[in-house]
């Protein structure tokens, strides 16, 4: 198993303020000092000391809503899958237009991810806003991001953001509607990339994604070396994890803003000091949770040559193959640890109660 070596400081005892290189017009503030300044500033200004929270959930659909091998991918596959008892029950918890959206996919695996995404949104509205399941309505704000509005024309009561890849669906949200949130999950499967990397070389492979990254990021990704000596496929696996760490952070940040990966400023925004969170198998012991790996939150954000210091970001490893990036538009929010949900105990129970 690869050991990427670097261990970030605990996210429970510091703010995610980035202490980048001092510049002539800006002195970097140590994280330890920020922990003192922010609470003090709130007390001086007479602001409420209650810190808004960002909740984060994950749901693995790998073993959910099974179907027989006789159902193959195709135009009618999702509709055949929908007739299976477990899938039918879950789909019945959604309004008709959302069911239709779930069943439009060619591959059943995509329908399962879409179904889980919709269920998590309804669960968030019901559980966090104390709304009966039958009254949960998923709306869109002015940036077309999903949110909850109690009624048409009302102020937004909750923002949330969803991402899925592989078999994992994640949601991050907050009842503080002023907070903007972006989340992205990536499943790292080196077998899908290694063949192409061997064929064209690492530099050429990375360069195909240069539209997404700044020139400096491309150079950093190409030249990055793992902290321990590796060779062959092990070296490229480490480099791929570092590449996807960059990708995941950028996706989360862009989703927080409500823009797509074709945002005109995309190449003017870059991440520095990107660390690769160690996988769960590298950090867990018999006494610790084997699902969640390391959390890294010391990344620096630079946009148009200026350091962005009002955004809090984390990169979390999940099991051995996943990384989850979270971007929050304020330093004043507490980002709660991810919770792996149980479909029946959490989601179905809430649906049956309402």
């Amino acid at each position: 198993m690869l050991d990427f070596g670097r261990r970030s400081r605990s996210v429970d005892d510091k703010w995610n303020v980035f202490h980048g290189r001092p510049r002539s017009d800006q002195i970097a503030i140590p994280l330890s000092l920020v922990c003192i300044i922010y609470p003090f500033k709130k007390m001086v200004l007479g602001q409420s000391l209650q810190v808004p929270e960002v909740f984060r959930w994950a749901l693995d659909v790998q073993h959910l809503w099974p179907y027989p091998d006789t159902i193959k991918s195709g135009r009618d596959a999702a509709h055949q899958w929908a007739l299976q008892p477990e899938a039918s029950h879950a789909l019945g918890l959604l309004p008709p237009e959302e069911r239709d959206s779930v069943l439009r996919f060619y591959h059943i695996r995509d329908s399962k991810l879409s179904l889980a995404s919709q269920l998590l949104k309804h669960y968030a509205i019901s559980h966090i806003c104390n709304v009966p399941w039958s009254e949960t309505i998923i709306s869109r704000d002015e940036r077309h991001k999903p949110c909850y509005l109690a009624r048409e024309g009302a102020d937004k009561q909750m923002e949330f953001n969803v991402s899925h890849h592989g078999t994992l669906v994640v949601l991050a949200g907050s009842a503080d509607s002023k907070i903007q949130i972006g989340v992205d999950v990536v499943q790292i499967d080196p077998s899908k990339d290694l063949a192409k990397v061997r064929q064209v070389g690492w530099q050429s492979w990375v360069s195909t994604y240069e539209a997404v990254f700044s020139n400096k990021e491309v150079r950093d990704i190409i030249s990055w070396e793992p902290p321990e000596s590796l060779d062959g496929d092990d070296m490229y696996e480490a480099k791929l994890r570092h590449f996807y760490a960059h990708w995941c952070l950028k996706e989360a940040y862009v989703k927080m803003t409500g823009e797509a990966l074709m945002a005109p400023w995309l190449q003017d925004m870059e991440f520095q000091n990107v660390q690769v969170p160690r996988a769960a198998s590298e950090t867990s012991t018999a006494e610790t949770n084997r699902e969640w790996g390391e959390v890294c939150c010391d990344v620096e954000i630079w946009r148009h040559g200026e350091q962005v210091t009002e955004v809090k970001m984390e990169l979390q490893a999940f099991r051995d193959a996943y990384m989850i990036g979270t971007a929050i538009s304020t330093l004043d929010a507490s980002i709660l640890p991810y919770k792996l949900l149980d479909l029946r105990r959490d989601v179905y129970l809430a649906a049956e109660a309402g």
Side-chain angles (χ1 to χ4, degrees):
M1 184 59 62
L2 300 177
D3 181 3
F4 297 100
R6 288 176 296 208
R7 184 186 295 268
S8 68
R9 288 187 291 270
S10 169
V11 297
D12 296 324
D13 63 359
K14 66 181 178 67
W15 294 100
N16 186 20
V17 178
F18 310 113
H19 48 296
R21 66 178 75 91
R23 299 179 3 237
S24 59
D25 62 339
Q26 176 180 344
I27 301 299
I29 302 175
L31 291 171
S32 57
L33 183 58
V34 173
C35 294
I36 300 173
I37 290 175
Y38 266 82
F40 179 73
K41 183 185 78 170
K42 282 174 164 287
M43 294 172 65
V44 169
L45 297 179
Q47 298 175 350
S48 169
L49 294 180
Q50 184 175 359
V51 178
E53 293 182 338
V54 174
F55 61 91
R56 298 184 296 176
W57 299 332
L59 183 65
D60 189 349
V61 304
Q62 182 174 7
H63 301 296
L64 299 180
W65 313 306
Y67 56 93
D69 294 338
T70 53
I71 300 179
K72 306 296 183 182
S73 295
R75 181 178 301 177
D76 299 322
H79 291 274
Q80 297 178 49
W81 164 72
L83 299 176
Q84 304 304 306
E86 292 189 35
S88 177
H89 173 72
L91 287 163
L93 302 177
L94 302 180
E97 64 275 12
E98 291 181 23
R99 288 199 298 270
D100 292 342
S101 178
V102 168
L103 298 178
R104 65 185 173 86
F105 292 98
Y106 185 88
H107 297 291
I108 296 175
R109 62 174 180 268
D110 295 324
S111 290
K112 290 174 66 173
L113 291 171
S114 178
L115 173 57
S117 175
Q118 296 304 110
L119 289 175
L120 284 186
K121 294 172 191 174
H122 284 282
Y123 178 60
I125 296 170
S126 177
H127 183 68
I128 302 298
C129 297
N130 196 28
V131 176
W133 188 279
S134 59
E135 299 177 20
T136 58
I137 299 175
I138 302 170
S139 302
R140 297 277 177 174
D141 64 14
E142 64 279 3
R143 295 164 298 154
H144 204 61
K145 295 181 67 177
C147 66
Y148 170 60
L149 307 176
R151 62 186 182 280
E152 187 175 353
D155 291 335
K156 182 169 61 175
Q157 290 187 248
M158 181 174 66
E159 170 162 329
F160 43 80
N161 200 239
V162 180
S163 179
H164 52 73
H165 198 203
T167 64
L168 193 66
V169 182
V170 296
L171 179 147
S174 176
D176 188 328
S177 60
K178 298 182 181 64
I179 297 177
Q180 299 175 36
I181 300 170
V183 65
D184 185 63
V185 58
V186 293
Q187 182 188 35
I188 304 158
D189 184 358
S191 64
K192 293 183 178 181
D193 297 314
L194 281 176
K196 190 65 174 179
V197 169
R198 294 192 200 100
Q199 179 184 351
V200 303
W202 177 247
Q203 181 171 337
S204 294
W205 184 85
V206 173
S207 296
T208 60
Y209 298 95
E210 61 186 8
V212 176
F213 299 109
S214 72
N215 292 334
K216 185 180 186 307
E217 284 177 315
V218 171
R219 292 194 301 268
D220 288 347
I221 293 170
I222 290 173
S223 63
W224 183 86
E225 297 292 341
E228 66 176 30
S229 179
L230 298 171
D231 54 26
D233 287 352
D234 287 342
M235 178 189 66
Y236 284 123
E237 284 190 32
K239 282 179 169 288
L240 285 167
R241 286 186 67 87
H242 179 253
F243 167 85
Y244 282 113
H246 273 272
W247 182 279
C248 194
L249 288 167
K250 184 147 289 194
E251 276 266 22
Y253 186 95
V254 171
K255 291 179 70 178
M256 178 195 70
T257 69
E259 300 190 52
L261 273 180
M262 296 309 293
W265 46 262
L266 199 60
Q267 291 181 307
D268 295 317
M269 189 268 289
E270 64 188 32
F271 294 103
Q272 300 179 18
N273 192 38
V274 173
Q275 300 185 27
V276 182
R278 295 187 300 161
S281 62
E282 300 176 60
T283 60
S284 63
T285 66
E287 293 77 27
T288 62
N289 190 328
R290 297 187 179 185
E291 301 280 10
W292 299 99
E294 187 179 24
V295 177
C296 295
C297 53
D298 288 334
V299 64
E300 299 172 11
I301 310 167
W302 293 79
R303 189 167 171 180
H304 300 296
E306 298 288 332
Q307 188 175 11
V308 178
T309 58
E310 294 299 320
V311 173
K312 182 185 288 192
M313 297 202 71
E314 287 187 5
L315 191 60
Q316 165 93 64
F318 177 69
R319 297 175 181 160
D320 282 359
Y322 290 94
M323 282 189 285
I324 308 169
T326 306
I328 309 297
S329 63
T330 177
L331 300 177
D332 292 332
S334 173
I335 304 180
L336 301 181
Y338 268 100
K339 176 184 177 183
L340 188 61
L341 297 183
D342 181 279
L343 180 69
R344 291 170 178 80
R345 187 178 60 243
D346 296 313
V347 180
Y348 284 176
L349 192 62
E352 291 165 3

